[in-house]
Structure formats: structure tokens, C-alpha cells
Amino acid sequence: MKIIVDSAKLHSYTKEKKDFLLMDVFIGRQPIFNSKEEIFGYELLYRNGKSNAFPEVDADQATIEVLNHALLTIGMDELSSKRPCFINFTESLLYRDVFTSLNPEEVMVEVLENIPVTIGLISRLKELKEMGFKIALDDFVMTEELNYFSELFNIVTYIKVDFLHTTPEERWTIENIAKQHPHIKLLAEKIESREEFETAKAAGYSLFQGYFLQKPEIVQGTDIPPAMIPYIRLVNLLNQPDPDIEKITSFIEHDLSLSFKLLKLVNSPANGLRKEVKSIKQALVMLGLKELKKWLYVIALRDSIENKARTNSLIEISMVRAKLCELIAKSTGRKNAEEYFLVGMFSMIGVILNRPMESILSALPLSKSVSDTILGKETEMTQYFRLATAVEQMEVGLIDELTNQLRISNGRLQQAYNDAQLWALQLK
């Protein structure tokens, strides 16, 4: 059989990672310990490289990056092992509608020290507390000018005290406040010696953070390269008076990055939707258009700050492979052709993200058949996937063997491959 292919394009997946133009992402993670020196949780910190220091960057951008990488790119399970994570929120982000997509059991809302305590802030923190979030005051110092302190202390769960930059008198004032509000837990940060650790314990602190215990470590991941135009187009589709679910589904299926993040969102504990997903449309319906739009704004905001367009031949190969698997399945009467699409789409996600395939698939709500096929286990989808990859790699003998087994004519396979290529090129 003769299959017409662009061999330079289809074999480009053998290039080294440096040619993929992928985006490495980083996040700082510093453990928070209890009085027994056991890890209680983590503070997640913005990093833009392997240097373990906070770079010069807009504070809003820093928090947006942390949220994006923690929830979508790297994942909370990998970062925290189900322990709570403290994340800094700027004043403007506290009032944005991002909290409905966060899990209150995972995220502790850390209010930065430079945020003025106003009646508006008190009202907003009450709303977050009612949603189940625990509030932490970062680098807190009691001053005479602090308004609404009684309401504030009734809301917060944690007060973080900087042992390096506070005097014993300033700490004593805060420690007395905690005694008057037994629900408040004191967290001593920047603990740099055993002596400071013991002093803090004796003063009633129950949580501890600092170089004496452990320095922040860098956790690295790899994000699928996004481009702003698809986000803008998708938001426009969602903003229509009567959004067309079929058009939205088709659009997302054309974008590996969006498809991957949609499935991650559907499988997030914050959404309470952990179950197998057999198609992008099903995931979209489960998540809901309003929830999708919220996270699009978060992702698009992050991407607009970077304002860099990247391309990746691996993504194009994945798109062609996905559609080809689906079309072959349809041509043989398979009723679950959408699952064959997912096999092709995510078959290269481990290479793209430079992470173990097993860990990625475990975070996605794919059916066991889809996951097993991708991992190389024999399933009803295996021969279809093998045929799609054989076409890519021009393995003529294998193509002839599989087309005979699946009873697909050469003409139908050639047409399916041509259609898959055209489909993948539609949004270029």
C-alpha cells in the first residue's frame, strides 16, 4: 500500500527537546512543619527559573503563575501530596472570581501584609471563609492604625510572624492576640536556628517555617506551549447569546493544550467530578461553560503576560493521530470513536511534558481502556492506534497487515489520513 506523507514533518518527533520550543515552568515549595518537626503543609512560591529567589515581577502575575502551575501544569497532588498549601494573594486577586475553581482543603488564602484592612476586605474574607477557605495573615505586625482588628481576628485561622524582622515586643503583642482568640494558630516563619525554633514553641507557635528546618526547593514541570489566539476565539464562542456546544467542542479538540487542561479541571477535587470521561464534549458538559470561561481567563491572563507564540511539531502530530484513530474507528463501525480520538491525542503527552506517562494519565479522567492503550497494553483500540502510527512512520508491511485484520480498504485509509491532516490544519 502507498501512503502519501510529509516525512520531514511526521518524523520530527525524534528531535531533541531543545528543538521542541517547550516552556519549562517552575514553582518554589517550602515545607511548613509542626512542633514535632513533621511536615504540615507547604508555601508555594513564584519562580521563573532554577534560581531559588523571588524575581522582579508583578505580584499579580506571580500569583496567577503559581495557581496555573499548581492546578493545571504540575498539579496539586504532585506538589503537596494532599497537604494544605499556602498561596499569597494580592489585593486585586482577592476580589477576582477564581476561588470557585479552588479546593478549600488544598489552598490556604494568604493575605499579604501590604493589603490595607478595610471594611471591604473584611467583607470579602468573610465570603471566602463561608466558602470553606482558611485565611492566613502574612508577615503580620500589630499597629495602632489597624482598623477592624476584632472582625479580622475572628475570621483568620493563621497568623504568620516573621521572626527575622520583628522584635520580641512586636511578637509578644501578636502572641497575646492569639491567646484571646484560641482558634488562631501562630506560624513562625524565617526560623534560622534551633534556639529560635524552641523560643517560638515555648511562646505558643504551632507551625514553623524557615531555613533551619528546610530551604525552599524548586519543582519543575513542562507546559504545553499555548498561543493567545485560540483563547480569544474560544472566549468569543462562549460569549455568544446561545453558545453552540458542538462548535465549542470541535474548537477544543483542535487544541491539545486546552484539551489537556479541560480534562485536568474536570478531574479536580474542587469540582467534585472525578469519573471517567469518554469524550471532550462529555468533559465540557460536566464542567459547564461558565466554569470553563473562568479558567480561560486565568490561563489567558497568564499567557498574555508572556505574550510569546510557540509551535510544536509534536502537537500537530498528536492532532493528526487523534483524528486518524477516530476516523478509522468510525469506518469499522465502532460506536465509541471519541475514545479512539483521546488515545491518539494523549499518546505523546509524556514526551511533550517531559514527564512519566503513568503520572500524567493518573491525573486525567480517562477510561481504563484509553489509558491502557496509551501505556502499551493490549486493548480493543490497540490495532487502530498501531495502524495510525504505522501510517505516520510509513511502515508499509505493518500497514498491509493491520488493514487486512481490520478490513479497511487502502482507499478508505488514504482518505481518512488526508481528512485527518486537513482537520489538524484548520486552525493554523
Side-chain angles (χ1 to χ4, degrees):
M1 174 186 176
K2 182 179 181 182
I3 293 287
I4 302 171
V5 295
D6 182 345
S7 59
K9 180 186 298 181
L10 293 177
H11 288 282
S12 61
Y13 65 89
T14 59
K15 292 181 181 180
E16 295 181 3
K17 181 185 173 186
K18 65 182 180 181
D19 292 330
F20 292 166
L21 302 178
L22 292 180
M23 180 173 65
D24 289 326
V25 297
F26 306 87
I27 197 166
R29 181 181 68 176
Q30 185 170 26
I32 296 170
F33 294 84
N34 61 21
S35 58
K36 296 179 181 179
E37 300 185 41
E38 301 166 333
I39 294 179
F40 165 78
Y42 297 93
E43 180 174 4
L44 301 185
L45 308 163
Y46 173 73
R47 297 290 186 267
N48 63 357
K50 295 182 179 180
S51 175
N52 206 344
F54 188 86
E56 292 292 331
V57 69
D58 177 76
D60 284 351
Q61 177 188 347
T63 298
I64 291 167
E65 291 280 3
V66 168
L67 288 173
N68 185 70
H69 299 334
L71 298 174
L72 300 178
T73 307
I74 299 174
M76 289 294 286
D77 287 347
E78 185 171 332
L79 281 171
S80 67
S81 301
K82 301 189 183 303
R83 294 184 177 94
C85 288
F86 289 70
I87 298 178
N88 291 327
F89 282 84
T90 61
E91 183 176 10
S92 63
L93 288 178
L94 280 173
Y95 293 96
R96 293 198 193 180
D97 191 17
V98 298
F99 293 93
T100 54
S101 297
L102 305 179
N103 184 351
E105 297 299 318
E106 294 178 337
V107 176
M108 307 292 108
V109 179
E110 196 164 324
V111 181
L112 293 172
E113 68 276 9
N114 59 359
I115 297 176
V117 180
T118 63
I119 190 64
L121 178 67
I122 295 295
S123 177
R124 180 55 173 161
L125 294 182
K126 285 181 179 178
E127 291 176 358
L128 296 178
K129 185 176 181 180
E130 289 172 359
M131 293 170 64
F133 290 97
K134 293 181 174 64
I135 311 299
L137 301 180
D138 184 40
D139 292 345
F140 182 75
V141 176
M142 185 68 182
T143 67
E144 294 180 0
E145 295 79 21
L146 183 61
N147 298 317
Y148 312 109
F149 66 89
S150 180
E151 293 94 331
L152 182 64
F153 297 141
N154 286 331
I155 297 170
V156 303
T157 302
Y158 305 98
I159 295 180
K160 300 182 71 175
V161 181
D162 185 339
F163 256 60
L164 187 63
H165 298 109
T166 55
T167 65
E169 292 75 19
E170 289 171 330
R171 295 196 293 272
W172 182 84
T173 300
I174 299 169
E175 291 154 11
N176 275 339
I177 291 171
K179 290 177 182 177
Q180 297 167 30
H181 299 80
H183 67 280
I184 293 179
K185 298 178 182 179
L186 293 178
L187 191 161
E189 57 181 350
K190 294 189 175 66
I191 296 295
E192 298 193 346
S193 68
R194 169 63 66 179
E195 181 182 1
E196 289 178 342
F197 177 71
E198 297 298 338
T199 297
K201 275 205 301 185
Y205 292 76
S206 58
L207 298 173
F208 311 86
Q209 178 182 4
Y211 281 18
F212 164 70
L213 296 157
Q214 188 171 325
K215 295 181 179 181
E217 59 181 335
I218 301 295
V219 181
Q220 183 174 349
T222 310
D223 201 2
I224 299 175
M228 276 302 297
I229 292 177
Y231 294 122
I232 296 171
R233 290 178 178 172
L234 185 52
V235 168
N236 287 337
L237 288 175
L238 291 167
N239 284 337
Q240 296 298 313
D242 187 16
D244 188 328
I245 190 80
E246 298 295 339
K247 284 185 179 179
I248 294 169
T249 299
S250 176
F251 190 95
I252 294 174
E253 285 178 343
H254 278 81
D255 192 311
L256 180 59
S257 179
L258 283 175
S259 299
F260 176 71
K261 290 174 181 176
L262 172 63
L263 291 178
K264 289 275 284 187
L265 287 174
V266 168
N267 205 34
S268 168
N271 293 315
L273 298 173
R274 285 182 177 267
K275 61 182 294 187
E276 288 185 355
V277 174
K278 297 188 177 181
S279 69
I280 294 298
K281 183 177 179 180
Q282 182 189 357
L284 185 57
V285 171
M286 289 170 60
L287 183 65
L289 300 185
K290 291 183 179 179
E291 197 67 20
L292 173 64
K293 190 187 296 185
K294 291 174 186 175
W295 270 107
L296 276 176
Y297 286 129
V298 174
I299 299 169
L301 181 57
R302 192 284 308 267
D303 294 339
S304 67
I305 291 170
E306 293 213 338
N307 195 26
K308 295 179 180 178
R310 294 176 173 88
T311 59
N312 189 337
S313 61
L314 290 180
I315 294 176
E316 185 177 340
I317 292 170
S318 297
M319 295 294 96
V320 174
R321 183 182 289 183
K323 196 62 177 178
L324 183 54
C325 285
E326 180 188 33
L327 292 175
I328 296 172
K330 284 182 176 179
S331 72
T332 60
R334 294 287 178 173
K335 294 181 179 179
N336 58 334
E338 294 87 355
E339 289 196 275
Y340 290 74
F341 179 93
L342 294 176
V343 167
M345 171 173 284
F346 292 107
S347 60
M348 301 185 75
I349 196 70
V351 179
I352 290 171
L353 293 179
N354 194 33
R355 292 168 58 197
M357 183 70 83
E358 291 83 354
S359 66
I360 298 173
L361 294 180
S362 67
L364 299 177
L366 301 172
S367 69
K368 188 174 187 299
S369 295
V370 171
S371 296
D372 285 349
T373 307
I374 295 172
L375 292 172
K377 299 177 183 178
E378 195 73 24
T379 71
E380 65 176 19
M381 304 179 191
T382 298
Q383 287 181 305
Y384 295 80
F385 176 61
R386 290 179 65 203
L387 179 55
T389 56
V391 171
E392 289 176 7
Q393 300 170 30
M394 297 181 293
E395 298 180 11
V396 178
L398 183 57
I399 291 171
D400 290 338
E401 175 187 339
L402 292 171
T403 51
N404 288 332
Q405 291 176 5
L406 296 174
R407 297 182 180 179
I408 300 173
S409 69
N410 290 348
R412 276 200 297 170
L413 182 59
Q414 180 67 67
Q415 186 60 52
Y417 180 65
N418 292 341
D419 291 346
Q421 285 188 309
L422 289 174
W423 181 86
L425 293 172
Q426 283 177 11
L427 291 183
K428 280 196 134 189

